Amino acid sequence: MRAGAALWLTSGAILIAALAQAEDWPRFRGPNGAAKAVNAIISLRWSEQENLRWKTPLPGPGASSPIVYDDRVYVTCYSGYGIDRENPGEVAKLVRHLLAVDRASGRIEWTADFPATQPEDTCKGFLAEHGYASNTPATDGSYIYAFLGKSGVVAVDLAGNTVWQTSVGTGSVEPHWGSAASVVLHDDKVIVNASDESHSIWALDKTTGRERWRYEDERLKLAVGTPALVSAAAVPQVVIACPDHLLAISAETGKLVWSAEIPIDDNIAPSVTVGDDVVYATGGLEGGSVAVRLGGQGDVTNSHVLWTSRHYSYIGTPVFHERHLYWISDRGLAYCLRATDGELTHRERLKIKEGAGRAFYASPLLVGDKLLAVSRYHGAFLFEAGPRMALVANNIFQSDDSSFGATPAVAGSEIFLRSDNFLYCIGLPQ
């Protein structure tokens, strides 16, 4: 082999190894909540025998995403109650856990335990589908912040010690589906959608957990999604979709900046998607989607609503890429909408087995030039990131028949998946 070629191969191996550890995934849907890892170089195929770096048993189930910071992966789960839906046990024994996992080996380094504040919602209906650990934590590199529903928001240091724990309400909205929104970090604040617990959006001080501001609004009822943090006219705003309305709140003061009436009814689970100074909302029982231009003040229904569509995602949040919106419906339909006018460019039913509840809870990610979407029981799907969404691969861990309800994390060349039973690390061929 020529010296130049050997040097290139060595340098390439070093570069790939560096990429594997170079990037973090510090919150739900990654940096800025954009669901994008555009520089990632990942394996397109994996199984128990191929490209699996490690697999770590978890002490309980959950639908929260793993997050990655430096040399650790953090994830939440729960135990003590609700593991068996037919015989859930005693709700007083419910405990949530925050785990720190070594990124290289999969070894659990520490676990922080949080007994549930009572009374807690019982394990039935849609709550039983996603459980009691559906809120993805976030980190700034100093603390890990996690929303535990009625048990409040916690900050845990890198050694696993609880720094503070703050209640954001203990209410419960009919039909008692529990909490799912993830925390968002902005400057020195932790922003939390506590719609189920108190019909409120809270901003807590990152260091002390004290309330910095609180936005209360009855319209937040059944607004389940994680707030989107956007900047328009240099004013950071927290944007959230709730039944019939889209709301933008000042991230600095907690005051309402603008609102728009939207044709989306009932509960809204997906988070707002941001792209090209436009916010896109979707969800609802009957369902719909809407695009609203940023930069307004007051009621912007007539001035800033760009389009509406009857196509929608019920649970997963769409990803914005090259002026298109992509998502997989909970029933297993792959969608692509043109973001400029809401026109449908592609819809295709994936070849998945019927039954076993809703097919998809996780949100899709843009990974390099591929779309990654993880189903609950039918493996992970990779598509070309284009309006026709050509299927590239369907990778399944055959030995794990538990639910994969969480959106994955991608950092460098590694993919981190979690099921109710395991946390997985998938890497490049070695």
Side-chain angles (χ1 to χ4, degrees):
M1 181 181 292
R2 290 177 299 167
L7 178 61
W8 186 91
L9 288 173
T10 303
S11 300
I14 293 172
L15 175 60
I16 289 173
L19 282 171
Q21 296 289 332
E23 298 181 17
D24 297 320
W25 194 266
R27 53 156 290 182
F28 177 59
R29 301 178 76 236
N32 302 318
K36 295 181 179 181
V38 294
N39 297 320
I41 304 170
I42 62 166
S43 296
L44 300 184
R45 306 279 180 180
W46 61 82
S47 66
E48 286 91 343
Q49 295 79 35
E50 186 178 14
N51 298 325
L52 177 61
R53 292 281 176 81
W54 50 258
K55 158 178 150 175
T56 296
L58 296 173
S64 61
S65 300
I67 62 170
V68 184
Y69 189 86
D70 199 13
D71 58 356
R72 281 180 176 167
V73 184
Y74 301 95
V75 69
T76 63
C77 57
Y78 66 95
S79 65
Y81 173 73
I83 311 302
D84 183 341
R85 296 182 191 180
E86 300 301 321
N87 298 287
E90 300 177 32
V91 69
K93 295 181 179 180
L94 175 65
V95 179
R96 293 178 176 89
H97 313 280
L98 171 65
L99 280 63
V101 179
D102 179 70
R103 180 173 173 176
S105 67
R107 177 176 55 86
I108 296 176
E109 297 192 343
W110 52 255
T111 302
D113 302 327
F114 301 93
T117 297
Q118 301 294 335
E120 180 60 87
D121 292 322
T122 54
C123 182
K124 58 185 178 181
F126 273 115
L127 195 158
E129 289 291 317
H130 66 87
Y132 297 90
S134 301
N135 321 73
T136 299
T139 184
D140 57 4
S142 296
Y143 297 154
I144 304 97
Y145 306 90
F147 180 30
L148 309 178
K150 295 172 183 49
S151 299
V153 182
V154 298
V156 177
D157 67 20
L158 300 187
N161 303 303
T162 301
V163 179
W164 53 258
Q165 184 168 2
T166 299
S167 175
V168 290
T170 56
S172 183
V173 174
E174 188 73 32
H176 307 289
W177 288 347
S179 181
S182 302
V183 295
V184 174
L185 306 183
H186 172 63
D187 292 340
D188 57 353
K189 295 179 283 294
V190 183
I191 296 172
V192 186
N193 171 19
S195 63
D196 190 62
E197 294 76 15
S198 58
H199 297 174
S200 304
I201 307 290
W202 296 61
L204 305 176
D205 186 279
K206 284 169 65 173
T207 304
T208 66
R210 291 197 197 85
E211 179 186 331
R212 298 285 293 275
W213 55 255
R214 187 191 323 179
Y215 175 78
E216 298 177 297
D217 195 325
E218 285 297 313
R219 292 178 293 183
L220 290 170
K221 179 181 177 180
L222 297 177
V224 185
T226 298
L229 187 64
V230 302
S231 293
V235 178
Q237 297 170 7
V238 176
V239 183
I240 190 164
C242 52
D244 304 314
H245 289 87
L246 193 63
L247 307 177
I249 303 149
S250 168
E252 301 300 333
T253 67
K255 304 296 184 183
L256 184 67
V257 178
W258 58 262
S259 65
E261 295 182 17
I262 58 176
I264 305 176
D265 70 328
D266 211 81
N267 67 91
I268 301 182
S271 302
V272 170
T273 302
V274 185
D276 291 346
D277 293 326
V278 176
V279 289
Y280 304 90
T282 187
L285 269 183
E286 295 299 325
S289 300
V290 63
V292 179
R293 180 165 48 87
L294 292 170
Q297 296 279 334
D299 186 345
V300 302
T301 305
N302 295 325
S303 58
H304 285 64
V305 175
L306 300 178
W307 54 257
T308 62
S309 169
R310 62 183 177 83
H311 303 293
Y312 72 104
S313 173
Y314 182 56
I315 298 176
T317 300
V319 60
F320 176 91
H321 173 58
E322 294 183 347
R323 298 185 178 181
H324 287 81
L325 296 167
Y326 299 89
W327 72 84
I328 313 297
S329 78
D330 58 305
R331 301 296 186 184
L333 286 166
Y335 280 87
C336 178
L337 259 64
R338 201 161 51 220
T340 51
D341 56 13
E343 288 298 310
L344 181 70
T345 66
H346 182 74
R347 179 175 56 191
E348 177 183 359
R349 183 171 296 279
L350 301 179
K351 294 180 180 179
I352 56 178
K353 295 179 181 178
E354 297 295 330
R358 297 179 184 268
F360 282 80
Y361 271 8
S363 300
L365 307 177
L366 177 69
V367 185
D369 60 353
K370 302 294 185 291
L371 293 165
L372 170 61
V374 177
S375 72
R376 296 179 71 202
Y377 301 105
H378 311 284
F381 293 79
L382 282 162
F383 306 89
E384 295 291 349
R388 296 303 171 191
M389 297 182 68
L391 182 64
V392 175
N394 178 206
N395 301 308
I396 302 175
F397 289 121
Q398 297 285 359
S399 63
D400 189 350
D401 61 359
S402 69
S403 174
F404 287 72
T407 300
V410 178
S413 63
E414 295 171 332
I415 303 170
F416 298 89
L417 301 179
R418 73 84 52 90
S419 69
D420 278 348
N421 289 342
F422 297 98
L423 178 66
Y424 297 86
C425 176
I426 299 154
L428 290 170
Q430 292 181 312

